[in-house]
Amino acid sequence: MAIPVIWLGTSMTWYIIFMGPIDPATRLLSEGQVRNPAAYEAAQTQLGLNQPPLQHYVDWLSSLIVFDLGRTWLLYQGSSVNALIMDFLPRTLWLGFWSVLIAIFIGVPLGFYAGMRSNTVADYVASMGGIVWRAMPNFWLGIMLLAVLGSSQAIFGFSWEAIGPNLTSGISGNPDLSYMAGNPIAFFTNPNATLQAIKKVAPAAIVLGSASMGNEMRIGRTAVLEVKNQDYVELAKVKGVSDRALVYKHILRNALVPLVPIITSEAFLLIGGSVLVESVFGINGIGYLFFQAAIQGDLPLVGTLMYVFILMIVGINLIQDVLYTLIDPRVGLEGE
């Protein structure tokens, strides 16, 4: 189903941008040029809109399939879209990677802890914290975190910039990932640069992963409560299975099954949420690029980036299906 979904999403994007109420050609022209028939016709020729719609659709789709993404018209005028994506995408992936890790390694354990100790003070505190954390909008939390960290010296008695030996990165701005260009192993071999890049993106990652963390905490608690009351758990207790094996082999592993679609669906939200978070924290990622293209009216670039987002979402969905088979052997890829 991945191929039809990609085709349908891309086709809808083309129709909305090129056949919708906004004329892409007029976005390329100034107010005076719009009234000039020759300038307007030249803009249509640049965008390929001077040909029949079906022919333009086939040409546009064919170019996307072979990743010939063309050039920008307004934003970074004349730049290769492929080069822009390769420049901006690593920062978004870096931000998304740490956002997902924060959500998983904080939200899921807290949810499991609350589920194993249901109706206790720890459960109530964790559950209430998850609800409050989930309710805070990303853009508001980002602004508040910037304000707090910017005044950390006055509030906490230490400066965020001074945390860590030889780490002096600021609160906002682009993480420096150039040290890994062409050499991903530098992530391990150059720990100081890696820690510097992590610290730079940490505030934005906390904000972006916050909504996911609260949701995963709530779902994880519910999943544990359901699993630990199942008959096979009671049977394992009767058989004398140790508490450690009972928790890790029977309860937690089965509680992960309903969390798989939650975690992967949160990855979809991270793609959309990165548009706002990257703008607030001044990170030049693909979300920021999409936001600027939409604001400045570079509609062809918006359509191209939508195609990239569709590929990322479908790819995450495929990973979700594979993870199901790893966590729950009863689920087969061939429908057994």
Side-chain angles (χ1 to χ4, degrees):
M1 293 300 294
I3 294 176
V5 168
I6 293 172
W7 170 77
L8 183 61
T10 307
S11 299
M12 291 177 64
T13 300
W14 173 85
Y15 184 83
I16 291 171
I17 289 178
F18 294 102
M19 297 291 111
I22 300 176
D23 186 356
T26 60
R27 306 296 297 184
L28 303 180
L29 305 174
S30 64
E31 187 175 346
Q33 290 176 317
V34 171
R35 300 188 183 93
N36 186 338
Y40 178 77
E41 185 177 345
Q44 281 198 313
T45 302
Q46 281 184 324
L47 292 173
L49 296 176
N50 60 332
Q51 54 187 339
L54 181 60
Q55 182 62 43
H56 179 267
Y57 167 73
V58 171
D59 291 345
W60 186 76
L61 192 62
S62 302
S63 298
L64 292 184
I65 292 174
V66 298
F67 278 90
D68 179 13
L69 304 182
R71 296 186 175 275
T72 60
W73 297 109
L74 295 176
L75 189 65
Y76 305 102
Q77 194 168 17
S79 300
S80 168
V81 176
N82 296 69
L84 279 178
I85 291 175
M86 294 303 295
D87 182 32
F88 282 71
L89 184 59
R91 301 186 191 103
T92 295
L93 295 179
W94 184 256
L95 171 61
F97 173 74
W98 293 108
S99 300
V100 171
L101 282 190
I102 288 172
I104 291 176
F105 286 103
I106 297 179
V108 174
L110 282 178
F112 283 0
Y113 179 83
M116 294 301 299
R117 290 162 177 78
S118 57
N119 300 321
T120 63
V121 174
D123 177 27
Y124 297 144
V125 171
S127 299
M128 182 60 68
I131 294 172
V132 172
W133 201 257
R134 182 74 175 87
M136 291 187 289
N138 280 346
F139 65 89
W140 179 86
L141 185 60
I143 295 172
M144 292 299 101
L145 190 59
L146 279 175
V148 170
L149 293 180
S151 307
S152 58
Q153 184 68 49
I155 298 174
F156 305 110
F158 62 87
S159 173
W160 169 261
E161 286 81 357
I163 295 178
N166 303 321
L167 302 180
T168 57
S169 61
I171 304 168
S172 60
N174 294 321
D176 183 10
L177 304 177
S178 59
Y179 74 99
M180 286 191 290
N183 182 27
I185 301 178
F187 178 88
F188 304 100
T189 59
N190 193 345
N192 190 68
T194 299
L195 290 174
Q196 188 89 6
I198 292 173
K199 182 186 174 184
K200 188 75 170 181
V201 83
I206 291 171
V207 171
L208 190 55
S210 62
S212 304
M213 183 169 59
N215 205 28
E216 287 162 16
M217 185 189 306
R218 181 175 57 85
I219 300 298
R221 176 185 179 276
T222 303
V224 169
L225 288 176
E226 290 180 356
V227 170
K228 74 177 187 178
N229 292 322
Q230 295 293 324
D231 291 340
Y232 62 82
V233 175
E234 296 298 328
L235 179 60
K237 290 180 182 178
V238 172
K239 286 184 173 181
V241 175
S242 66
D243 291 341
R244 184 182 182 87
L246 185 67
V247 170
Y248 288 100
K249 185 176 181 180
H250 295 281
I251 296 179
L252 297 188
R253 181 175 181 180
N254 287 286
L256 281 174
V257 175
L259 273 172
V260 170
I262 300 299
I263 293 172
T264 51
S265 66
E266 296 295 353
F268 305 158
L269 297 178
L270 295 181
I271 294 174
S274 66
V275 175
L276 290 176
V277 173
E278 287 177 358
S279 300
V280 170
F281 284 91
I283 298 174
N284 291 342
I286 197 170
Y288 174 82
L289 181 65
F290 180 84
F291 177 75
Q292 291 298 320
I295 290 297
Q296 298 189 29
D298 197 331
L299 296 182
L301 178 58
V302 170
T304 302
L305 293 177
M306 276 297 299
Y307 173 67
V308 174
F309 288 151
I310 290 169
L311 290 180
M312 292 172 66
I313 290 174
V314 171
I316 293 171
N317 213 29
L318 289 174
I319 293 173
Q320 169 186 307
D321 292 340
V322 175
L323 286 177
Y324 264 133
T325 65
L326 298 177
I327 295 174
D328 190 349
R330 295 171 298 178
V331 179
L333 289 174
E334 299 177 359
E336 295 105 345

